[in-house]
Each structure stands twice: as structure tokens, then as C-alpha cells.
Amino acid sequence: MKEDKKNIADLLAEIESLKEELYESNSIVNAIKQGDVDALVVSSNGVPELYSLETADYTYRLLIEKFGQGALSISRNGLILYCNEQFSKLVGLPSEKITGTYIYEYFTNQTQFVSLIEALRYGITKHEILLKSDNEKTFPAYIALTDLEPAVEAIGVVITDLTEKKKHEEALIRHQKELEEKINELNKINRNLEEFIHVISHDLKEPLRKIVMNTSRIDGSYFKEADTKAVNVMKLSALRLNSLVDDLVQYSSHTAQEERTEIDLRTIISEVIEDFEIIISDKKVVIKTGKVPIIKASRVQMRQLFSNLISNAIKYSKTDIAPVIEISQEENLDTEIPNQNAKFVKVQIKDNGIGMEKSHLLKIFVIFQRLHARNEYSGNGIGLAICKKIMENHSGNITVESTLNKGTTFNLYFPTL
């Protein structure tokens, strides 16, 4: 009988022990589920062993701690329950001094916190605010709030420092303002230039016309030879000045604002050839037009461009050989110009004329630069300067290759459509 009672007592004691182990096991499982435990100490034969539990929750909390933005959890009344290292850096205080304070203590306008919580009720979660650090220095910040209820009675807060972003924005606004001032200044200069061109093309040409007209009416029958020569020099000088004024007005009138349309360069070249029909016939000029592209450009400026280049090729032809001018597109359609991202199509205008020395190649596109005496070749040294300006207006480029007594090739680079 005594032995049976002892067995029952042992059995009850064992049951109680199993209950305690079961309770402890359930507590551990629940703690793991809720993310309250990161490691366990298990005793095996009296030897404690540490087991780390790298749960998803642990990884998440580690991520928040290493986050590049300030992260906090707060109660609905603003009490800070947790803050990460980045927020500590932003306000210049250790996390242990921040926890237990209120988030609005770091606002420059503390009443703004009530508005943020009220807005959260209507789904408005993101705002720009001004925060202050421990040394009372203020900085702009972007704050995003997330209501964590009902899972947790708290609000998640992410704060981004906008100091650098604001500096960039202010610099951009400042540069934009400077650019607008430069544009206004440029527009003013352009208006002055237009007025100046008007003066040149009207007021200056009027006395020139009168000089030419009246010198033509002078009866030189009773002049001495020296007087006749002087009058002729005066007349020729007036005519040359009149031509120079026309060229200057033409050079100044080519602007980048003219309308751009799709243009077949073959049509432009044909029109220019018709304009030069008489001189082409007189000099027996042969013009060979190969494949040329369709580009987006100003029709007026393209006609001026090819007119100047074809005229230049005819003017500087050899006296004993018929001029041959070849115009064609280089087959490599995606030619690249150094230091530019755009793709270009290249058109060449090649002649068999007198050519020029390499030392002169850089001079020919400069306004008023002449390589020959006026009694050798006519012109004011503006034609090729106009060509360069037209190509610049179209975001393109013009270059030249030449060999003395063999001919010249002009390369035109047009942006592809």
C-alpha cells in the first residue's frame, strides 16, 4: 500500500515537471513568434549552449538600425519609443537620451505635430518640416509617418535630411535666375544689333546710292586723265562699300531662330545650279551630284550655304581646266564629331580648283579674311564666314581639306533626323 502511494506521488511530481517544461517551451515559441527573442540558452547535461535565432524580424531591426535615414517608433502622443543611430546623428544626441522624449521637441514649430497626426487619419503621410539639433541648428527634413496599429500601438516615422537637396535646389534656382538675366541681356544686345543692321541697310546705303548715281552722271569729257581715274576710283569704292554693306547685313541676318523643315538637299542644289546657269555655261563647269540626305533645316540658309560654296568653287577654279564640282554624301551615315553626343551625316563638296596651303585653312572661315588680292578674285571675305555661321545655327560643323594646285574639299556635318 505504501509502495503504491509512493508511485502515485512520483507520477504526480513527474507530471508537474512535464507541465513546467511544456509551459517553458510554449513561452519560448511564443517569444520567437513575436520577435522578442534573438537567442536562446539551452542547458544540456548541465552545460549551457547559446543558440542565435536570425529571424526575419531580427534582420529587419538590424536593417532599421543601419538605415541611412532617421527611423523612430513613437506613441500617438509623440513619445519616442525607439530611434536608430541615424536619427541620433541628425539631432546630435545619443539614442538613450532621445528615447523617452517627445518627437515634437525636435520640431522648430512644436504645434505642427498635432497637424501631422491629424493628417495621418486622412491618409496624408508625407510632409516637409524644419527640425533642430542639440545645438539649436535647424535643417529641412522630409518626414513620413506609418500607423502601425492594430499590430502595434505605435507610429513608425522615417526622417530624411533635405539639407543637401535644398542646397542643390537653391543653386539651381540661382543659376536659372543668372541664366534668365543673361538671356535678357542677350535679347537686349540682339535688339540693338537689329537696330544697327537697320541703320546700316537703310541710312548708310542711301548716301552710297547717291554717290554712285551722281558719279555716273558726271560728264568726264573735259576731265584730265588723273581726274577721270579719281572719279572711277571713287565710284568703284562706293560700289564696293555698297556690296560690303549687303554682305554684312546678310551675315547678321542668319539666326538660329528661323523655321526648320525637312529638306531634300538635292532640291536645294538644283535650285542653286539654276541660279548659276549663265556662269556655269560660260566656264563650262561640271557639277556632279551624288546621293545627298534629307535634313531638318532652314531652306533659306541651306540655299545660301550651297550657293556660297558652289560660287567659291567656281571662283577659285583653274584657268586652263574646266571646273569639276562633286557633291555627295559620305556612306558612313553615323559620323561622330569629337566632344559631341549627336550623330551626324557628312556631305562633301569637292572641286579641282587652285586649292590652298595648309597654313591658310584656319583663316578662311574668319570674317573679312582674304587669301588673295582684290584684283585677282572678287569678294569681301564674308562668304565662308556665313557658311560657318549657318552650320553652327544648325548644330553642325564645317571643315575644309585642301592641296595647293589640286583642289579643295568642304565637309558639312548635319545632325541626323
Side-chain angles (χ1 to χ4, degrees):
M1 213 45 195
K2 290 182 179 179
E3 189 173 340
D4 290 339
K5 288 181 179 179
K6 183 181 178 182
N7 289 336
I8 293 170
D10 290 342
L11 186 60
L12 290 173
E14 187 176 350
I15 290 171
E16 287 299 321
S17 176
L18 289 173
K19 282 182 178 180
E20 288 180 8
E21 288 182 15
L22 180 60
Y23 177 77
E24 186 178 349
S25 298
N26 286 335
S27 298
I28 292 172
V29 169
N30 289 332
I32 292 171
K33 286 180 178 179
Q34 294 171 13
D36 294 333
V37 177
D38 294 327
L40 288 177
V41 178
V42 178
S43 179
S44 178
N45 297 324
V47 179
E49 295 181 4
L50 179 68
Y51 291 89
S52 176
L53 301 178
E54 294 188 9
T55 62
D57 180 73
Y58 172 74
T59 305
Y60 171 75
R61 281 184 282 140
L62 185 62
L63 171 66
I64 292 298
E65 190 59 40
K66 300 296 183 182
F67 208 30
Q69 296 166 300
L72 309 93
S73 59
I74 63 173
S75 64
R76 299 199 78 82
N77 65 351
L79 181 68
I80 297 175
L81 309 173
Y82 162 83
C83 77
N84 69 350
E85 184 181 348
Q86 183 60 27
F87 184 77
S88 297
K89 289 179 180 179
L90 288 177
V91 297
L93 287 170
S95 58
E96 57 268 21
K97 286 191 175 182
I98 297 172
T99 305
T101 61
Y102 290 88
I103 190 171
Y104 51 74
E105 294 177 20
Y106 306 96
F107 289 13
T108 56
N109 179 8
Q110 294 191 6
T111 59
Q112 194 174 8
F113 175 74
V114 177
S115 302
L116 299 183
I117 298 300
E118 187 67 21
L120 186 61
R121 292 175 55 194
Y122 298 98
I124 303 171
T125 61
K126 299 173 182 177
H127 311 267
E128 279 194 20
I129 59 171
L130 270 179
L131 294 180
K132 60 184 178 181
S133 60
D134 184 47
N135 58 7
E136 296 299 318
K137 183 180 178 181
T138 62
F139 61 93
Y142 186 76
I143 185 169
L145 295 87
T146 303
D147 196 339
L148 302 178
E149 291 186 355
V152 181
E153 292 183 5
I155 296 171
V157 180
V158 175
I159 291 179
T160 306
D161 186 0
L162 296 179
T163 303
E164 290 302 317
K165 182 175 181 289
K166 291 295 182 182
K167 283 181 181 178
H168 290 316
E169 288 177 354
E170 288 170 4
L172 185 63
I173 292 170
R174 186 169 63 253
H175 291 153
Q176 186 175 357
K177 187 176 180 181
E178 290 173 358
L179 181 60
E180 289 173 356
E181 289 175 356
K182 293 288 184 184
I183 291 172
N184 291 334
E185 185 179 345
L186 182 61
N187 288 336
K188 184 178 179 181
I189 292 171
N190 284 338
R191 286 193 296 271
N192 292 339
L193 180 60
E194 288 174 3
E195 292 174 5
F196 178 69
I197 293 170
H198 178 79
V199 170
I200 290 178
S201 60
H202 293 83
D203 299 352
L204 186 59
K205 288 192 70 173
E206 181 58 28
L208 282 174
R209 281 193 290 268
K210 289 181 179 177
I211 291 172
V212 173
M213 182 178 64
N214 285 288
T215 51
S216 300
R217 291 177 179 176
I218 295 175
D219 181 6
S221 58
Y222 57 89
F223 281 176
K224 295 179 182 179
E225 185 178 346
D227 295 332
T228 302
K229 186 176 179 180
V231 170
N232 287 335
V233 168
M234 181 174 64
K235 182 179 179 180
L236 289 172
S237 296
L239 287 170
R240 180 173 167 270
L241 183 56
N242 188 68
S243 172
L244 185 60
V245 168
D246 287 338
D247 285 347
L248 277 172
V249 170
Q250 189 179 67
Y251 178 79
S252 301
S253 65
H254 288 303
T255 63
Q257 285 75 37
E258 290 183 41
E259 183 183 359
R260 305 286 194 266
T261 57
E262 284 194 9
I263 295 171
D264 188 342
L265 288 183
R266 181 176 292 276
T267 303
I268 298 293
I269 294 167
S270 297
E271 292 173 358
V272 173
I273 291 173
E274 286 181 15
D275 293 341
F276 290 133
E277 184 179 359
I278 295 175
I279 191 171
I280 287 173
S281 177
D282 289 345
K283 289 205 168 190
K284 297 180 173 55
V285 180
V286 177
I287 299 180
K288 300 177 181 179
T289 305
K291 179 184 176 182
V292 289
I294 294 174
I295 63 171
K296 194 168 186 179
S298 159
R299 174 174 290 276
V300 173
Q301 292 188 31
M302 286 302 104
R303 187 156 178 170
Q304 182 69 57
L305 173 69
F306 282 92
S307 178
N308 286 0
L309 292 173
I310 291 173
S311 172
N312 192 78
I314 296 172
K315 184 194 298 184
Y316 296 106
S317 60
K318 296 174 182 176
T319 55
D320 55 339
I321 299 176
V324 177
I325 303 171
E326 298 177 64
I327 306 173
S328 63
Q329 171 185 336
E330 191 174 274
E331 286 307 311
N332 180 14
L333 295 179
D334 291 329
T335 303
E336 291 188 9
I337 295 179
N339 303 320
Q340 293 199 30
N341 295 324
K343 297 292 184 179
F344 293 82
V345 57
K346 181 179 178 182
V347 176
Q348 291 188 320
I349 301 176
K350 187 183 299 184
D351 66 52
N352 63 340
I354 63 173
M356 67 187 88
E357 296 178 1
K358 287 186 178 180
S359 59
H360 293 157
L361 296 183
L362 295 176
K363 298 179 182 179
I364 63 171
F365 296 116
V366 180
I367 192 168
F368 298 133
Q369 286 287 338
R370 292 178 53 87
L371 305 183
H372 304 276
R374 288 191 185 89
N375 58 356
E376 293 181 279
Y377 299 96
S378 62
N380 297 311
I382 295 180
L384 292 178
I386 290 176
C387 292
K388 184 174 186 294
K389 187 174 183 182
I390 289 173
M391 291 306 296
E392 289 173 350
N393 287 348
H394 288 78
S395 302
N397 194 21
I398 180 171
T399 62
V400 61
E401 304 165 16
S402 187
T403 304
L404 194 62
N405 298 321
K406 288 189 177 180
T408 300
T409 300
F410 285 95
N411 303 305
L412 305 177
Y413 295 92
F414 295 100
T416 54
L417 293 176

